Amino acid sequence: MKKGESKASKSGRVPPSPRSSAATPQPPAAPAADEVSEPAGRTAAGAPGTQRRRRSSKEEGLTRSQFMRATGQRSAIGAGLLFFLIAVRVAGAWLLPMTDCDETFNYWEPAHWLAFGSGMQTWEYADVFALRSWLFVWIYAWPAVLVGKVIGAPAAASVGLTKPVVFYLIKSAIAAATACAEIYCIRGVGARFGLRASKVAFVVSLASAGTAIAAPQFLPSSFAMVCNCVALGAWLRLDTVSVVGLPVKHGVRPTIVAVA
């Protein structure tokens, strides 16, 4: 036995080395699927580091509008601008002229006849031809009928409800309903595409000359415009309860089918 051998070697034990006593470094664990971090960049405070990626609405299993509501994100413009749009449409009802002769003779004149018992009747409403339905006229004319038939024109005029005032009040109600439909559509754009897109939609709708003229009109085309705005706003929200009576699941965009 050599002198350099220790007593531990005599007993068959090997002394531990300094390196083996240290803990062996373990490789970093792989991040979970929902905790993937972006490459090194800047955090919200501006210091370099890694930033955790926000999960998208698809990963959460929600529609975009539901995801925005859950995360507290703004998806539409403020209420002040929306009320401003209503004020602009109502002002247009009082200031803009009537540009369509059909509105005068096919709708306002029959409405005046229903309310006050006098007015011009076009041949489309005559019993001989009966090409137009009175139902559309009744939808708009019932406040005037209430004033003319129930309250009475003299009694209504005594409290300020003269025929011109009733005329402009009905036009203002039509314009306000159109503005509410526009607002619903603009909010649908915000729910689908975000706040910036809803601002663009608001500016385009406010600056549209055609919409300003059609908003207070007593015409089927204006009524169709209102219905289209409501339908488009509901479709863009993606969590519509039903479209044309058919149930739609949450998060499933309905398909629009054009019928010739």
Side-chain angles (χ1 to χ4, degrees), residues 69-114:
R69 288 195 296 267
T71 55
Q73 302 181 45
R74 288 184 60 192
S75 60
I77 59 178
L81 293 178
L82 300 180
F83 283 112
F84 175 73
L85 179 62
I86 295 178
V88 169
R89 295 290 179 251
V90 173
W94 287 76
L95 299 175
L96 294 177
M98 297 172 62
T99 58
D100 197 333
C101 61
D102 285 341
E103 182 183 7
T104 302
F105 296 105
N106 283 327
Y107 299 102
W108 282 115
E109 286 288 345
H112 189 277
W113 181 83
L114 288 176

Short mmCIF file of all heavy atoms in Angstrom, two decimals, residues 69-114:
data_model
loop_
_atom_site.label_atom_id
_atom_site.label_comp_id
_atom_site.label_asym_id
_atom_site.label_seq_id
_atom_site.Cartn_x
_atom_site.Cartn_y
_atom_site.Cartn_z
N ARG A 69 -66.06 43.22 -23.38
CA ARG A 69 -66.78 43.51 -22.15
C ARG A 69 -66.09 42.86 -20.95
O ARG A 69 -66.04 43.44 -19.87
CB ARG A 69 -68.23 43.02 -22.27
CG ARG A 69 -69.09 43.86 -23.18
CD ARG A 69 -70.56 43.56 -22.97
NE ARG A 69 -70.89 42.18 -23.34
CZ ARG A 69 -71.32 41.82 -24.53
NH1 ARG A 69 -71.47 42.72 -25.48
NH2 ARG A 69 -71.61 40.57 -24.79
N ALA A 70 -65.55 41.64 -21.14
CA ALA A 70 -64.92 40.95 -20.03
C ALA A 70 -63.61 41.61 -19.62
O ALA A 70 -63.25 41.64 -18.44
CB ALA A 70 -64.66 39.48 -20.41
N THR A 71 -62.88 42.17 -20.59
CA THR A 71 -61.59 42.80 -20.30
C THR A 71 -61.69 44.29 -20.06
O THR A 71 -60.69 44.95 -19.82
CB THR A 71 -60.61 42.55 -21.46
OG1 THR A 71 -61.20 42.99 -22.69
CG2 THR A 71 -60.28 41.06 -21.57
N GLY A 72 -62.90 44.85 -20.16
CA GLY A 72 -63.09 46.27 -19.88
C GLY A 72 -62.62 47.19 -20.99
O GLY A 72 -62.37 48.37 -20.75
N GLN A 73 -62.48 46.70 -22.22
CA GLN A 73 -62.03 47.54 -23.32
C GLN A 73 -63.21 48.32 -23.91
O GLN A 73 -64.31 47.79 -24.02
CB GLN A 73 -61.38 46.69 -24.41
CG GLN A 73 -60.19 45.87 -23.94
CD GLN A 73 -59.60 45.08 -25.08
OE1 GLN A 73 -59.41 45.59 -26.18
NE2 GLN A 73 -59.29 43.83 -24.83
N ARG A 74 -62.95 49.56 -24.29
CA ARG A 74 -63.98 50.37 -24.93
C ARG A 74 -64.12 49.94 -26.37
O ARG A 74 -63.14 49.76 -27.09
CB ARG A 74 -63.62 51.85 -24.88
CG ARG A 74 -63.74 52.47 -23.51
CD ARG A 74 -63.47 53.96 -23.59
NE ARG A 74 -64.42 54.62 -24.48
CZ ARG A 74 -64.28 55.86 -24.92
NH1 ARG A 74 -63.23 56.57 -24.56
NH2 ARG A 74 -65.19 56.41 -25.70
N SER A 75 -65.36 49.73 -26.79
CA SER A 75 -65.60 49.28 -28.15
C SER A 75 -66.47 50.25 -28.94
O SER A 75 -66.82 49.96 -30.07
CB SER A 75 -66.30 47.91 -28.13
OG SER A 75 -67.54 47.99 -27.45
N ALA A 76 -66.86 51.37 -28.35
CA ALA A 76 -67.72 52.31 -29.06
C ALA A 76 -67.40 53.71 -28.58
O ALA A 76 -66.75 53.92 -27.54
CB ALA A 76 -69.19 51.99 -28.83
N ILE A 77 -67.84 54.69 -29.35
CA ILE A 77 -67.58 56.08 -29.01
C ILE A 77 -68.46 56.49 -27.85
O ILE A 77 -69.41 55.80 -27.48
CB ILE A 77 -67.83 56.98 -30.24
CG1 ILE A 77 -69.27 56.83 -30.73
CG2 ILE A 77 -66.86 56.65 -31.34
CD1 ILE A 77 -69.60 57.70 -31.90
N GLY A 78 -68.16 57.64 -27.27
CA GLY A 78 -68.86 58.10 -26.10
C GLY A 78 -70.30 58.50 -26.37
O GLY A 78 -70.70 58.75 -27.51
N ALA A 79 -71.08 58.57 -25.29
CA ALA A 79 -72.50 58.89 -25.43
C ALA A 79 -72.71 60.33 -25.89
O ALA A 79 -73.72 60.63 -26.53
CB ALA A 79 -73.21 58.65 -24.10
N GLY A 80 -71.78 61.23 -25.58
CA GLY A 80 -71.94 62.62 -25.98
C GLY A 80 -71.99 62.78 -27.49
O GLY A 80 -72.84 63.51 -28.02
N LEU A 81 -71.11 62.09 -28.20
CA LEU A 81 -71.11 62.18 -29.67
C LEU A 81 -72.34 61.53 -30.26
O LEU A 81 -72.84 61.97 -31.30
CB LEU A 81 -69.84 61.52 -30.22
CG LEU A 81 -68.52 62.23 -29.90
CD1 LEU A 81 -67.34 61.45 -30.46
CD2 LEU A 81 -68.51 63.64 -30.46
N LEU A 82 -72.84 60.49 -29.61
CA LEU A 82 -74.04 59.84 -30.12
C LEU A 82 -75.26 60.73 -29.97
O LEU A 82 -76.10 60.81 -30.88
CB LEU A 82 -74.24 58.51 -29.37
CG LEU A 82 -73.10 57.50 -29.50
CD1 LEU A 82 -73.41 56.25 -28.73
CD2 LEU A 82 -72.85 57.16 -30.97
N PHE A 83 -75.38 61.44 -28.85
CA PHE A 83 -76.49 62.38 -28.70
C PHE A 83 -76.32 63.57 -29.66
O PHE A 83 -77.31 64.16 -30.09
CB PHE A 83 -76.57 62.87 -27.25
CG PHE A 83 -77.19 61.87 -26.33
CD1 PHE A 83 -76.44 61.26 -25.34
CD2 PHE A 83 -78.53 61.54 -26.44
CE1 PHE A 83 -77.01 60.33 -24.48
CE2 PHE A 83 -79.12 60.61 -25.59
CZ PHE A 83 -78.35 60.01 -24.60
N PHE A 84 -75.08 63.91 -29.97
CA PHE A 84 -74.84 64.96 -30.96
C PHE A 84 -75.37 64.54 -32.33
O PHE A 84 -75.93 65.35 -33.07
CB PHE A 84 -73.35 65.27 -31.04
CG PHE A 84 -72.98 66.26 -32.10
CD1 PHE A 84 -73.29 67.60 -31.97
CD2 PHE A 84 -72.33 65.84 -33.25
CE1 PHE A 84 -72.96 68.51 -32.96
CE2 PHE A 84 -71.99 66.74 -34.24
CZ PHE A 84 -72.30 68.08 -34.09
N LEU A 85 -75.22 63.26 -32.67
CA LEU A 85 -75.75 62.77 -33.94
C LEU A 85 -77.27 62.86 -33.97
O LEU A 85 -77.87 63.23 -34.98
CB LEU A 85 -75.30 61.32 -34.16
CG LEU A 85 -75.78 60.65 -35.45
CD1 LEU A 85 -75.26 61.39 -36.67
CD2 LEU A 85 -75.34 59.18 -35.48
N ILE A 86 -77.92 62.54 -32.85
CA ILE A 86 -79.38 62.67 -32.78
C ILE A 86 -79.80 64.12 -32.97
O ILE A 86 -80.76 64.43 -33.69
CB ILE A 86 -79.90 62.12 -31.44
CG1 ILE A 86 -79.63 60.61 -31.35
CG2 ILE A 86 -81.40 62.40 -31.29
CD1 ILE A 86 -80.07 60.01 -30.04
N ALA A 87 -79.08 65.04 -32.33
CA ALA A 87 -79.40 66.46 -32.46
C ALA A 87 -79.24 66.94 -33.90
O ALA A 87 -80.06 67.73 -34.40
CB ALA A 87 -78.52 67.29 -31.52
N VAL A 88 -78.21 66.45 -34.60
CA VAL A 88 -78.00 66.84 -36.00
C VAL A 88 -79.13 66.34 -36.88
O VAL A 88 -79.65 67.06 -37.75
CB VAL A 88 -76.64 66.32 -36.48
CG1 VAL A 88 -76.50 66.48 -37.99
CG2 VAL A 88 -75.50 67.05 -35.78
N ARG A 89 -79.56 65.10 -36.66
CA ARG A 89 -80.65 64.54 -37.47
C ARG A 89 -81.97 65.28 -37.21
O ARG A 89 -82.74 65.55 -38.14
CB ARG A 89 -80.79 63.06 -37.18
CG ARG A 89 -79.59 62.23 -37.60
CD ARG A 89 -79.48 62.16 -39.09
NE ARG A 89 -78.31 61.40 -39.51
CZ ARG A 89 -77.23 61.93 -40.06
NH1 ARG A 89 -77.18 63.23 -40.26
NH2 ARG A 89 -76.21 61.18 -40.42
N VAL A 90 -82.27 65.61 -35.97
CA VAL A 90 -83.50 66.33 -35.65
C VAL A 90 -83.45 67.75 -36.23
O VAL A 90 -84.46 68.26 -36.74
CB VAL A 90 -83.73 66.34 -34.13
CG1 VAL A 90 -84.91 67.24 -33.77
CG2 VAL A 90 -83.97 64.93 -33.62
N ALA A 91 -82.28 68.38 -36.18
CA ALA A 91 -82.15 69.71 -36.79
C ALA A 91 -82.37 69.64 -38.29
O ALA A 91 -82.97 70.56 -38.89
CB ALA A 91 -80.77 70.29 -36.47
N GLY A 92 -81.90 68.56 -38.91
CA GLY A 92 -82.15 68.39 -40.34
C GLY A 92 -83.62 68.23 -40.67
O GLY A 92 -84.08 68.66 -41.74
N ALA A 93 -84.39 67.62 -39.74
CA ALA A 93 -85.83 67.49 -39.97
C ALA A 93 -86.52 68.84 -40.02
O ALA A 93 -87.53 69.01 -40.71
CB ALA A 93 -86.44 66.61 -38.88
N TRP A 94 -86.01 69.82 -39.30
CA TRP A 94 -86.62 71.15 -39.25
C TRP A 94 -86.07 72.09 -40.33
O TRP A 94 -86.75 73.04 -40.72
CB TRP A 94 -86.39 71.79 -37.89
CG TRP A 94 -87.23 71.19 -36.81
CD1 TRP A 94 -87.03 70.00 -36.18
CD2 TRP A 94 -88.42 71.75 -36.26
NE1 TRP A 94 -88.01 69.77 -35.26
CE2 TRP A 94 -88.89 70.84 -35.27
CE3 TRP A 94 -89.14 72.92 -36.46
CZ2 TRP A 94 -90.03 71.06 -34.52
CZ3 TRP A 94 -90.29 73.15 -35.70
CH2 TRP A 94 -90.72 72.23 -34.75
N LEU A 95 -84.87 71.84 -40.82
CA LEU A 95 -84.21 72.79 -41.71
C LEU A 95 -84.12 72.33 -43.16
O LEU A 95 -84.17 73.17 -44.07
CB LEU A 95 -82.80 73.10 -41.19
CG LEU A 95 -82.71 73.71 -39.79
CD1 LEU A 95 -81.26 73.85 -39.36
CD2 LEU A 95 -83.44 75.04 -39.73
N LEU A 96 -83.97 71.02 -43.39
CA LEU A 96 -83.78 70.55 -44.77
C LEU A 96 -85.10 70.49 -45.51
O LEU A 96 -86.14 70.14 -44.93
CB LEU A 96 -83.13 69.16 -44.77
CG LEU A 96 -81.69 69.09 -44.22
CD1 LEU A 96 -81.19 67.66 -44.21
CD2 LEU A 96 -80.76 69.97 -45.06
N PRO A 97 -85.11 70.81 -46.79
CA PRO A 97 -86.36 70.77 -47.57
C PRO A 97 -86.74 69.34 -47.95
O PRO A 97 -85.92 68.41 -47.88
CB PRO A 97 -86.04 71.61 -48.81
CG PRO A 97 -84.56 71.41 -48.99
CD PRO A 97 -83.98 71.30 -47.61
N MET A 98 -87.98 69.17 -48.36
CA MET A 98 -88.43 67.87 -48.87
C MET A 98 -88.05 67.78 -50.34
O MET A 98 -88.45 68.62 -51.15
CB MET A 98 -89.94 67.73 -48.68
CG MET A 98 -90.36 67.75 -47.23
SD MET A 98 -92.15 67.81 -46.98
CE MET A 98 -92.64 66.28 -47.75
N THR A 99 -87.28 66.77 -50.68
CA THR A 99 -86.70 66.67 -52.03
C THR A 99 -87.41 65.66 -52.91
O THR A 99 -87.03 65.51 -54.08
CB THR A 99 -85.22 66.30 -51.93
OG1 THR A 99 -85.09 65.05 -51.23
CG2 THR A 99 -84.43 67.36 -51.19
N ASP A 100 -88.41 64.96 -52.40
CA ASP A 100 -89.07 63.90 -53.18
C ASP A 100 -90.56 64.20 -53.24
O ASP A 100 -91.22 64.35 -52.20
CB ASP A 100 -88.83 62.53 -52.54
CG ASP A 100 -89.13 61.39 -53.49
OD1 ASP A 100 -89.96 61.57 -54.40
OD2 ASP A 100 -88.54 60.30 -53.32
N CYS A 101 -91.09 64.29 -54.46
CA CYS A 101 -92.53 64.56 -54.60
C CYS A 101 -93.38 63.40 -54.13
O CYS A 101 -94.52 63.60 -53.68
CB CYS A 101 -92.85 64.90 -56.06
SG CYS A 101 -92.48 63.56 -57.21
N ASP A 102 -92.86 62.18 -54.19
CA ASP A 102 -93.62 61.03 -53.69
C ASP A 102 -93.87 61.14 -52.19
O ASP A 102 -94.91 60.68 -51.69
CB ASP A 102 -92.87 59.73 -53.98
CG ASP A 102 -92.95 59.33 -55.45
OD1 ASP A 102 -93.86 59.84 -56.13
OD2 ASP A 102 -92.12 58.54 -55.90
N GLU A 103 -92.93 61.72 -51.46
CA GLU A 103 -93.14 61.89 -50.03
C GLU A 103 -94.33 62.81 -49.75
O GLU A 103 -95.11 62.57 -48.81
CB GLU A 103 -91.87 62.46 -49.38
CG GLU A 103 -91.98 62.61 -47.87
CD GLU A 103 -90.75 63.24 -47.26
OE1 GLU A 103 -89.85 63.69 -48.02
OE2 GLU A 103 -90.68 63.31 -46.02
N THR A 104 -94.49 63.82 -50.59
CA THR A 104 -95.59 64.77 -50.37
C THR A 104 -96.93 64.17 -50.73
O THR A 104 -97.87 64.18 -49.92
CB THR A 104 -95.34 66.05 -51.19
OG1 THR A 104 -94.09 66.62 -50.82
CG2 THR A 104 -96.46 67.05 -50.98
N PHE A 105 -97.04 63.63 -51.95
CA PHE A 105 -98.35 63.24 -52.46
C PHE A 105 -98.73 61.80 -52.14
O PHE A 105 -99.91 61.47 -52.10
CB PHE A 105 -98.40 63.46 -53.98
CG PHE A 105 -98.25 64.89 -54.37
CD1 PHE A 105 -97.07 65.37 -54.90
CD2 PHE A 105 -99.29 65.79 -54.18
CE1 PHE A 105 -96.93 66.71 -55.26
CE2 PHE A 105 -99.16 67.13 -54.53
CZ PHE A 105 -97.98 67.59 -55.07
N ASN A 106 -97.76 60.93 -51.93
CA ASN A 106 -98.08 59.53 -51.65
C ASN A 106 -98.10 59.18 -50.17
O ASN A 106 -98.58 58.10 -49.81
CB ASN A 106 -97.09 58.61 -52.36
CG ASN A 106 -97.37 58.48 -53.85
OD1 ASN A 106 -98.53 58.52 -54.29
ND2 ASN A 106 -96.33 58.37 -54.65
N TYR A 107 -97.59 60.08 -49.31
CA TYR A 107 -97.50 59.73 -47.89
C TYR A 107 -98.01 60.84 -46.97
O TYR A 107 -98.82 60.58 -46.08
CB TYR A 107 -96.05 59.32 -47.54
CG TYR A 107 -95.62 58.12 -48.33
CD1 TYR A 107 -94.80 58.26 -49.45
CD2 TYR A 107 -96.08 56.85 -48.00
CE1 TYR A 107 -94.43 57.16 -50.20
CE2 TYR A 107 -95.72 55.74 -48.75
CZ TYR A 107 -94.89 55.90 -49.85
OH TYR A 107 -94.55 54.82 -50.60
N TRP A 108 -97.54 62.08 -47.16
CA TRP A 108 -98.02 63.14 -46.27
C TRP A 108 -99.47 63.51 -46.54
O TRP A 108 -100.24 63.77 -45.60
CB TRP A 108 -97.12 64.37 -46.39
CG TRP A 108 -95.83 64.25 -45.65
CD1 TRP A 108 -94.58 64.22 -46.17
CD2 TRP A 108 -95.68 64.14 -44.23
NE1 TRP A 108 -93.64 64.08 -45.19
CE2 TRP A 108 -94.28 64.04 -43.96
CE3 TRP A 108 -96.56 64.11 -43.15
CZ2 TRP A 108 -93.77 63.92 -42.69
CZ3 TRP A 108 -96.05 63.98 -41.86
CH2 TRP A 108 -94.67 63.89 -41.64
N GLU A 109 -99.88 63.55 -47.79
CA GLU A 109 -101.28 63.87 -48.10
C GLU A 109 -102.23 62.78 -47.60
O GLU A 109 -103.27 63.11 -46.98
CB GLU A 109 -101.44 64.07 -49.62
CG GLU A 109 -100.87 65.38 -50.13
CD GLU A 109 -101.71 66.58 -49.71
OE1 GLU A 109 -102.87 66.38 -49.27
OE2 GLU A 109 -101.22 67.72 -49.81
N PRO A 110 -101.95 61.49 -47.81
CA PRO A 110 -102.82 60.47 -47.20
C PRO A 110 -102.80 60.50 -45.67
O PRO A 110 -103.84 60.25 -45.05
CB PRO A 110 -102.24 59.15 -47.74
CG PRO A 110 -101.58 59.52 -49.02
CD PRO A 110 -101.01 60.87 -48.78
N ALA A 111 -101.66 60.84 -45.07
CA ALA A 111 -101.62 60.95 -43.61
C ALA A 111 -102.50 62.11 -43.13
O ALA A 111 -103.18 62.00 -42.11
CB ALA A 111 -100.17 61.16 -43.15
N HIS A 112 -102.49 63.21 -43.87
CA HIS A 112 -103.35 64.34 -43.52
C HIS A 112 -104.82 63.96 -43.67
O HIS A 112 -105.68 64.38 -42.87
CB HIS A 112 -103.01 65.55 -44.41
CG HIS A 112 -103.69 66.81 -44.01
ND1 HIS A 112 -104.99 67.11 -44.40
CD2 HIS A 112 -103.28 67.87 -43.24
CE1 HIS A 112 -105.34 68.28 -43.91
NE2 HIS A 112 -104.32 68.77 -43.19
N TRP A 113 -105.14 63.16 -44.66
CA TRP A 113 -106.53 62.73 -44.84
C TRP A 113 -106.98 61.82 -43.70
O TRP A 113 -108.11 61.92 -43.21
CB TRP A 113 -106.65 62.01 -46.18
CG TRP A 113 -108.05 61.54 -46.47
CD1 TRP A 113 -109.06 62.29 -47.01
CD2 TRP A 113 -108.58 60.25 -46.22
NE1 TRP A 113 -110.21 61.54 -47.12
CE2 TRP A 113 -109.94 60.27 -46.64
CE3 TRP A 113 -108.07 59.07 -45.70
CZ2 TRP A 113 -110.77 59.16 -46.55
CZ3 TRP A 113 -108.89 57.96 -45.61
CH2 TRP A 113 -110.22 58.01 -46.02
N LEU A 114 -106.08 60.94 -43.22
CA LEU A 114 -106.41 60.07 -42.10
C LEU A 114 -106.62 60.88 -40.82
O LEU A 114 -107.51 60.57 -40.01
CB LEU A 114 -105.30 59.04 -41.87
CG LEU A 114 -105.17 57.91 -42.89
CD1 LEU A 114 -103.96 57.04 -42.56
CD2 LEU A 114 -106.42 57.06 -42.93
#
